Amino acid sequence: MRWVYGIAALLLFAGSAGGTGVTGRFTTAVYTFERSYPDTVSRGDLRAYQTARFRVMGLGRSELSFQAYLRASLDLLHRAGNDPQYRFYHGYFRWEADEDRFVLTGGRQLVLAGVGVGRIDGIRADVDLGGLGRLDAYAGTLVPVDREGVSGWGEGHMFGVHLMSSRLLETSLGVSFYRRSRQARPYLSSSRMAAGLGSLEIQAGEVEQQMVGFDLQRRLGRLLSLYLRWDLSMPDPLQTRRMEGVLRYSYQGFTLSGEVLYRKPYVDRNSIFSLFTHSSNREASFRGNYRFNRFLSLFGEVSKVDYEGDDGYRINLGANVLNGYVGYIRRRGYGGVADGLTASLRYRMNRKVWMDGGFHLSRFRLYEGEGARSTVATSTLGVTYRPGRRLSLSLQGQNLMQDLKLATRANPFPGMSHDLRFFFRATTWFFRGPGPGRGAP
């Protein structure tokens, strides 16, 4: 809540400052569903959400801004003990020099820079190196799991760099490095004891993840483009975690691509997932798309997947028609077999009202072999009303019907059951431009 109070104070300051602009969006949503099992047991849930996104521009200088995203939720029916729940996703100051030559951000932010992925409370600098390229560097503490408060450096931290250059032979090249350390929480379980593992495998301050990556993008004439990526974990031992290649051909409304992908799971040390069997997988795909006009396009995808001896495939065919979509997908492999049909349509009644609907039917069987398939069908119907430029109201209902032939933990009663769900959302936008001192009327 200290973050909320601090941000509220910042907004009050921005509202009184003549040279400051403020823009934002508030969304209030209510989600409810009732689940009915074949043995007549039913359960209902009702939860409310409040989100806020905003940006404050010109904090004393035109180069300085601040933006944030927060969410709060509350269980209105069961009043769970951990409610209300607060989530502070990001909130950071941004200094942007002229022509984007230097960008400095400080605060809670999401990092996506080559192999470096994570959310930190720290600083990040994106610097134009002139003709040499561009450097993106970051460092900070890891965000707590509940996204509340700030961790210390010893509890968990992350840092890395991403260097990009387009100087060599008109080719975009990237090199990135990333390191993450987290203070582990010791725990014991019967599975760990049976595997001969202790309560703690990684000591405080030890490296949890460390990776280096390379990426390349290049145009091959007017119609072809190439993308390559190679991610490796280090230092003991040096292993390939991801290798990807994409060759794409584009001509007018037609696009055809071939892709190969190799992945090996990176399981954190001292993670419960280290007790499960995991293996690498390889995938080869061909994708095609042809757009006839703005109202009609066709696409298709065929993929072959190899899970170290267990082969599988995926087929996806469909068409975009007007403001709708119709598609078919089939999957077969290690987990089982499934077929699905999907259709959706959005229709504009007038300038203020939109209607949307959808239907999905899937028949699947877990694991390959004989036996009856389970069936899941969903239908949705929604309406959106926008009475003005800064207010939007939406209501959507969904009915889920399922006939399960195999009991699961989430659905312990095989047979027919259904869920009925409703979602309401109200969104408002606001904007306050800079005062007269900054050129506003």
Side-chain angles (χ1 to χ4, degrees):
M1 290 300 295
R2 289 192 297 268
W3 290 97
V4 176
Y5 296 147
I7 292 173
L10 178 63
L11 287 176
L12 290 175
F13 166 77
S16 61
T20 302
V22 182
T23 181
R25 181 176 65 187
F26 292 100
T27 299
T28 302
V30 179
Y31 173 73
T32 178
F33 74 89
E34 181 177 359
R35 172 169 296 177
S36 298
Y37 295 109
D39 69 344
T40 72
V41 174
S42 64
R43 171 186 170 87
D45 286 273
L46 178 63
R47 179 170 284 273
Y49 299 88
Q50 178 64 57
T51 64
R53 294 175 181 265
F54 57 86
R55 182 183 181 191
V56 183
M57 300 160 287
L59 282 171
R61 294 182 60 92
S62 60
E63 298 91 347
L64 183 61
S65 64
F66 176 82
Q67 60 187 57
Y69 172 38
L70 309 93
R71 191 193 76 179
S73 65
L74 177 64
D75 190 334
L76 300 176
L77 193 61
H78 301 289
R79 298 287 182 172
N82 59 345
D83 275 348
Q85 298 180 9
Y86 301 99
R87 296 291 184 267
F88 179 38
Y89 289 99
H90 69 249
Y92 57 86
F93 291 91
R94 176 185 175 95
W95 179 280
E96 183 175 351
D98 294 337
E99 299 180 357
D100 203 28
R101 291 177 299 178
F102 176 76
V103 178
L104 179 66
T105 56
R108 178 162 298 181
Q109 53 194 300
L110 176 64
V111 174
L112 299 171
V115 292
V117 177
R119 201 177 298 269
I120 63 172
D121 292 322
I123 58 174
R124 185 176 184 181
D126 188 3
V127 185
D128 185 358
L129 302 179
L132 298 178
R134 197 170 189 94
L135 178 66
D136 186 2
Y138 53 89
T141 60
L142 295 177
V143 176
V145 177
D146 58 5
R147 294 186 174 88
E148 294 187 41
V150 179
S151 301
W153 185 265
E155 297 176 85
H157 60 268
M158 182 179 106
F159 60 86
V161 295
H162 187 199
L163 177 62
M164 298 153 286
S165 177
S166 302
R167 188 175 182 180
L168 181 63
L169 300 177
E170 299 182 352
T171 301
S172 177
L173 300 172
V175 180
S176 58
F177 170 82
Y178 143 86
R179 173 171 172 167
R180 186 178 76 185
S181 296
R182 187 191 299 270
Q183 183 177 353
R185 296 182 179 180
Y187 65 95
L188 275 176
S189 66
S190 57
S191 300
R192 291 183 66 85
M193 296 175 65
L197 301 176
S199 62
L200 191 66
E201 291 182 39
I202 178 172
Q203 304 297 322
E206 289 186 346
V207 176
E208 184 182 29
Q209 283 192 6
Q210 184 167 289
M211 299 185 68
V212 62
F214 307 90
D215 55 88
L216 176 150
Q217 296 185 60
R218 177 175 172 80
R219 297 288 304 182
L220 304 175
R222 295 187 306 107
L223 305 179
L224 289 174
S225 63
L226 176 67
Y227 172 76
L228 299 173
R229 175 172 174 172
W230 187 21
D231 298 348
L232 303 100
S233 63
M234 52 190 298
D236 52 347
L238 188 67
Q239 296 186 55
T240 296
R241 296 294 175 178
R242 180 186 182 98
M243 184 173 288
E244 181 180 3
V246 180
L247 182 63
R248 180 173 287 107
Y249 170 85
S250 300
Y251 178 71
Q252 295 182 353
F254 178 68
T255 301
L256 180 66
S257 65
E259 305 178 15
V260 291
L261 177 64
Y262 169 84
R263 289 175 292 191
K264 187 172 183 179
Y266 196 144
V267 180
D268 296 341
R269 297 172 62 184
N270 212 52
S271 167
I272 187 64
F273 295 106
S274 63
L275 301 176
F276 297 91
T277 301
H278 52 274
S279 61
S280 61
N281 63 82
R282 289 158 291 276
E283 183 174 317
S285 303
F286 292 94
R287 294 183 174 91
N289 181 83
Y290 183 71
R291 176 168 291 279
F292 294 90
N293 50 54
R294 58 179 296 191
F295 303 110
L296 176 63
S297 66
L298 302 177
F299 66 88
E301 173 193 356
V302 178
S303 302
K304 183 180 182 299
V305 185
D306 177 22
Y307 297 95
E308 293 194 354
D310 292 298
D311 294 338
Y313 66 86
R314 181 176 66 250
I315 299 175
N316 188 7
L317 304 173
N320 292 300
V321 183
L322 300 176
N323 290 326
Y325 160 81
V326 179
Y328 165 78
I329 186 169
R330 177 176 176 84
R331 297 176 183 268
R332 188 180 184 92
Y334 179 77
V337 60
D339 294 273
L341 288 172
T342 299
S344 64
L345 177 65
R346 188 180 189 191
Y347 180 73
R348 184 171 181 173
M349 307 289 291
N350 51 53
R351 294 180 57 186
K352 298 182 178 182
V353 181
W354 295 264
M355 298 288 295
D356 62 88
F359 176 77
H360 175 78
L361 174 65
S362 178
R363 300 182 68 247
F364 65 92
R365 181 175 58 243
L366 301 179
Y367 315 108
E368 293 190 42
E370 301 298 329
R373 293 194 182 190
S374 299
T375 303
V376 175
T378 62
S379 55
T380 60
L381 181 63
V383 58
T384 299
Y385 174 56
R386 193 167 183 178
R389 296 177 54 189
R390 299 184 178 181
L391 178 63
S392 176
L393 305 174
S394 300
L395 177 64
Q396 185 181 77
Q398 181 188 71
N399 185 43
L400 169 64
M401 302 287 294
Q402 48 192 4
D403 183 8
L404 302 181
K405 304 302 181 182
L406 178 67
T408 64
R409 178 171 297 181
N411 294 277
F413 309 107
M416 288 293 296
S417 64
H418 76 274
D419 295 353
L420 186 60
R421 311 176 184 185
F422 288 97
F423 180 76
F424 171 78
R425 179 177 61 194
T427 302
T428 180
W429 297 264
F430 67 91
F431 173 76
R432 177 192 178 277
R438 298 293 299 275

